[in-house]
Amino acid sequence: MSIYKDYLKQIEDRKGQGLHPQPIDGAELTSALIEQIKDVNNEYRDASLNFFIYNILPGTTSAAGVKAKFLKEIILGEFTLKEISPAFAFEQLSHMKGGPSIEALLDLILLGKDIEIAKQAAEVLKTQVFLYEADIERLEDAYKKGCPISKELIESYAQAEFFTKLPDVEEEIEIVTFVAGIGDISTDLLSPGADAHSRSDRELHGQCMFEHNKQMQKELLALKAEHPDKRVMLIADKGTMGVGSSRMSGVNNVALWTGISSSPYVPFINIAPVIAGTNGIAPIFLTTVGVTGGIGIDLKNWVKQKDADGNTIVDEDGEAILKEEYSVATGTVLTINTKEKKLYNGTTALKDISTALTPPKMEFIKAGGSYAVVFGKKLQTFACKILGIDVPQVYAASKEVSIEGQGLTAVEKIFNRNAVGTTPGKTLHAGSNVRVEVNIVGSQDTTGLMTSQELEMMAATVISPIVDCGYQSGCHTASVWDDKSKANIPRLMKFMNDFGLVTARDPKGQYHAMTDVIHKVLNDIAVDDWDVIIGGDSHTRMAKGVAFGADSGTVALALATGEATMPIPESVKVTFKGEMKSYMDFRDVVHATQEQMLNQFEGENVFQGKIIEVHIGTLTSDQAFTFTDWTAEMKAKASICISEDDTLIESLEISRDRIQIMIDKGMDNPKQDLKGLVDKANDRIIEIKTGTKSALKPDSDAKYYAEVVIDLDKIVEPMIADPDVNNEDVSKRYTHDNIRPLSYYGGTKQVDLGFIGSCMIHKGDMQILAQMLKNIEAQQGKVEFKAPLVVAPPTYNIVDELKAEGDWDVLQKYSGFEFDDSDPKGSARTKYENMLYLERPGCNLCMGNQEKAEPGDTVMATSTRLFQGRVVKDTGEKKGESLLSSTPVVVLSTILGRTPTIEEYQAAVEGIVLTKFKPSQKQLVS
């Protein structure tokens, strides 16, 4: 069967799912279309024309290469087609974003002999921004040889006419509200983890919006039909929109259902969604909104009530009483005034929304997304350099906040060191908007295909030389090697490997697949406390340097340019006092930090949108990662660990040795980026040991948004994050702010399944598990599970180390299932027996896209996610719930089949060193 007929069969299959033909990205099918177009008698000619014009993905896809070549032939008159005139061919090229289309346009200017065609090509090229060094070099070479059109083009780029000649943003944008939920809205609602396999097929993935709730989808469509002249604003009322992950696919889905088409010739790629929340947008998700040129609004439509003395009024449960300042109920018509930067209901101004419409964000809206602005600035800089002129002030000036006499926080120091294009010699403080060079970039496997598409659409072909190392993980699809994974993951690994990343799987099959959790790998390969790290997951929060979780597009931008642009966030300083009880786990300190912070600030989450600067001092990056990882659930922008010199040296030595293991496995790329990281780690160790440059510390006179002191003496029993699934106030369900002591459950709450795994655990947790099993056997004569216990080590390194030290033998002894890499599972488990499961390293239950607990289960887990449906679905009779706790609590809960009492817990951990954490006695400031 021909490739075209295969495509027709696929089209019929998709019709059954209510879908249109899938966009074309392959050269072979595109070539077949062209042959059928050329044959005027071909029965498929009209359909082929339609597919060629409207259904080919742009950028550097192989399909785009074939399309650009044919359009160039039409423009040159080498082939005449009545349906595609030369003028229409130019229009098509203008929508193809870069790569082959830029090459074709440059060829028409520099290689053609027809001056009129060259002029037309130049007019199109003036509107394009996705040019790379090779493209600029061609223009520069022609300019130096006296080519007048090249000079005209470069002068146009120097003035940034590709931006200045775009239409201005509308002064008034009429919107109609759609409340998607009460309380925090997880990105799982917008793009469920279980549908991760379909994210690169945007129309198909769009069907999962609202977790496949067809009734909500119909209501949204009806609202759009009722208000065809307005934009729909999707709202989290009494909550924050987009918590849980960056999830570009979530924004893509919102844009698909409510946004604007990016091009009439590129299907299912919409931009400019309008999203809002009572407590704003989660920081990483807000960045993703900017990628698409959307608007994210902090509504503050519910406010805490105060008494005459300014104290918060609380109800009988101690919860703040809220008052609705204005309604955003579904169907409310509002107006965004982009000039006044206010939200209106009729003539009544409801809210100042200037933070949603800052000059840089207005540029993103005007340009159709942040990519065009980032590339536009680089292109303008290139052009001015060629012409030998200063860069004209076209874009909004970078905001540079410098406060004389004020010291720097840790994040301010990192941004000052890595800043690009700022005023020489100027010290920048929080609030500045800064371009920074990025050292490490991580792409994960369920968003990686989207990242590869973004790279193709921005015409990037190789990783930026600025980046020390890029890493493509295989952890989110580690649990089940099913047909979806077999179809997607090898293709992803080949693309990323060719692009220049170190990949978890070798496209050539020469090294063992490494399904290690991406955050753990990035935590190892970040080998400088002054580094900037960008990763395609909200838990990109390293214990060295500063790391930002990002959407797939921002990851693509960092890979392609080696840069990221963002404001320098304010910081919250976290220090510790007191002494830990011997029977407490460091995970309890993490949860207690959230609880004590909320108590200190009357329920206000001062961490939201800020950098948490945690003065961890004495814990290596392996253990400290438990804290930094959880800061995603604290809704922080990022976190930074402040370490003692000796502790940082130990952390760097651990990282260096683990990177060497990756090298020994054959994972290094041709540029030997991993070897470069080993060298960099060694250099940093020498700097610290010799006193040349000690561990990163803030200045003693740095200014913080808030300071939080955690009292370890108050942590007297294990702390559990509870989703509170039956709270009468829907807005208080499924938040990570509900931290309860173990005694709250009275030793009676049934536990149906336990999970030890995800990025929140380290080798020490696995050792605790092994020792507890030995203790229980010694105390009770045997180990008997009254609930299943699923264990997924985060990395193969940990498994190897446990095997070498004997602890893996202990786990094998008590397990009823052990993963087999030579015969991985081909389908997800749906039923669990009361035994220990030793699963393959990776995300497993935490991700929720492959394995899940049985519907309606109460799960006790070490992971990070407690959102509805993430780890466990509801049944008609019972809501599934995922309680988050320490490893010892999870182990004991599965042995007992219920939550333990504090006495049972203390007996089970007797003699086990759970943590050696003590507050640093040194001054961790400079």
Side-chain angles (χ1 to χ4, degrees), residues 319-362:
E319 299 286 350
I321 295 176
L322 303 178
K323 178 184 176 184
E324 188 177 41
E325 293 287 286
Y326 59 94
S327 174
V328 290
T330 295
T332 304
V333 175
L334 303 171
T335 301
I336 295 172
N337 189 303
T338 62
K339 185 176 181 180
E340 296 179 19
K341 303 189 188 307
K342 291 181 180 178
L343 183 67
Y344 278 89
N345 186 332
T347 58
T348 304
L350 302 175
K351 178 81 172 59
D352 179 281
I353 55 172
S354 54
T355 56
L357 300 169
T358 61
K361 289 178 181 178
M362 288 291 286

Side-chain angles (χ1 to χ4, degrees), residues 355 403 428 548 682 832:
T355 56
I403 304 169
L428 302 179
F548 297 94
N682 284 327
Y832 296 83

Side-chain angles (χ1 to χ4, degrees), residues 47-89:
S48 296
L49 258 170
N50 187 69
F51 292 142
F52 180 83
I53 295 169
Y54 296 104
N55 211 44
I56 290 178
L57 289 176
T60 56
T61 64
S62 58
V66 174
K67 179 172 181 175
K69 183 174 181 292
F70 185 49
L71 291 172
K72 187 172 75 168
E73 290 173 0
I74 292 171
I75 291 168
L76 291 172
E78 295 172 6
F79 190 88
T80 303
L81 197 62
K82 65 178 182 178
E83 295 89 350
I84 302 179
S85 66
F88 187 41

